[in-house]
Amino acid sequence: MSTKSQIRREQLRDKLVEAAESRIGRDGLSDLRARDLAKDAGCALGAIYNVFDDLNAIVMAVNGRTFRRLGQAVGTSFDGSEPPVQRLIVMSTAYLRFADGNTNLWRALFDLKMADDEAVPDWYRDALKGLFSYIAEPVGQLFPDLDRVELDLMTRALFSSVHGIVTLGLENRISGVPPEQIEKMITQVLSRIGNS
């Protein structure tokens, strides 16, 4: 049974994560400040550190929620009856649409700076593995002769390719690719995989 103190602590934790998610979504990760979160959550600045070790821990909690939403967007984008290349294209389109519709939260997944000796939490790795598992299935169908290590490498390579196209595409001024062409670029790249 939870004590009143534990309940208040959990409620504050939820308020802080929601406030951080809202601020990151609106203003981006670089503008996130503990003082602003304390104000949003209606608590003292020091109370934050009774619930979280630091600001990164709050961002990790937000990123966990974002990863779940991203996984759901990608995981529900296909029905499994598609040929492997088409499924990769459909999932990549869902990834692009999620990134475009939630740009600041999506960027926070990859922009969070962690100390070299700081361990990445298991749940974070599991969320990424879940995303990769969607990709690995059609890749395995396309390349049935790959062993597990090679399949993992190919899966990560394809994710990195699509992620790079999406990242540069959303930074139109850098890539020079109009947003409406990003989906076409992804389709062109992935369509070649089935012909290799």
Side-chain angles (χ1 to χ4, degrees):
M1 190 165 159
S2 297
T3 65
K4 286 183 182 180
S5 173
Q6 289 171 322
I7 292 169
R8 280 195 304 270
R9 195 176 149 96
E10 280 303 308
Q11 288 172 338
L12 178 57
R13 184 187 190 290
D14 292 345
K15 282 183 186 178
L16 288 166
V17 171
E18 287 171 14
E21 185 175 49
S22 176
R23 283 193 174 268
I24 293 169
R26 186 181 63 233
D27 305 325
L29 181 59
S30 62
D31 287 342
L32 189 66
R33 305 284 179 267
R35 190 171 309 283
D36 295 332
L37 293 181
K39 182 180 174 190
D40 293 348
C43 69
L45 181 60
I48 291 175
Y49 303 104
N50 292 329
V51 182
F52 288 100
D53 290 339
D54 56 23
L55 206 52
N56 268 9
I58 298 173
V59 175
M60 287 295 280
V62 171
N63 283 353
R65 290 166 62 136
T66 304
F67 256 132
R68 283 189 291 280
R69 289 178 46 229
L70 173 58
Q72 183 177 21
V74 171
T76 59
S77 66
F78 63 92
D79 64 19
S81 67
E82 306 87 349
V85 171
Q86 186 58 38
R87 188 176 330 162
L88 289 169
I89 291 168
V90 167
M91 288 189 297
S92 297
T93 301
Y95 184 82
L96 167 62
R97 289 188 180 140
F98 183 90
D100 189 41
N102 304 277
T103 303
N104 289 334
L105 289 166
W106 171 76
R107 282 193 173 132
L109 294 173
F110 306 99
D111 290 348
L112 178 63
K113 303 290 185 241
M114 296 180 70
D116 291 339
D117 62 346
E118 190 176 355
V120 177
D122 289 340
W123 63 262
Y124 203 85
R125 288 184 194 277
D126 290 344
L128 200 51
K129 278 184 197 171
L131 189 57
F132 288 161
S133 71
Y134 292 126
I135 304 165
E137 186 179 340
V139 171
Q141 292 171 351
L142 288 168
F143 302 100
D145 296 334
L146 294 180
D147 66 28
R148 206 175 111 249
V149 172
E150 291 171 324
L151 177 64
D152 184 56
L153 196 60
M154 177 65 86
T155 297
R156 289 172 184 272
L158 286 176
F159 171 79
S160 297
S161 298
V162 170
H163 178 75
I165 292 169
V166 170
T167 300
L168 292 174
L170 292 178
E171 290 292 332
N172 184 4
R173 64 184 191 276
I174 293 172
S175 67
V177 178
E180 62 275 7
Q181 294 295 317
I182 302 170
E183 193 172 330
K184 186 174 182 179
M185 282 179 65
I186 292 169
T187 300
Q188 286 177 336
V189 169
L190 293 177
S191 294
R192 302 283 185 262
I193 292 168
N195 301 326
S196 55

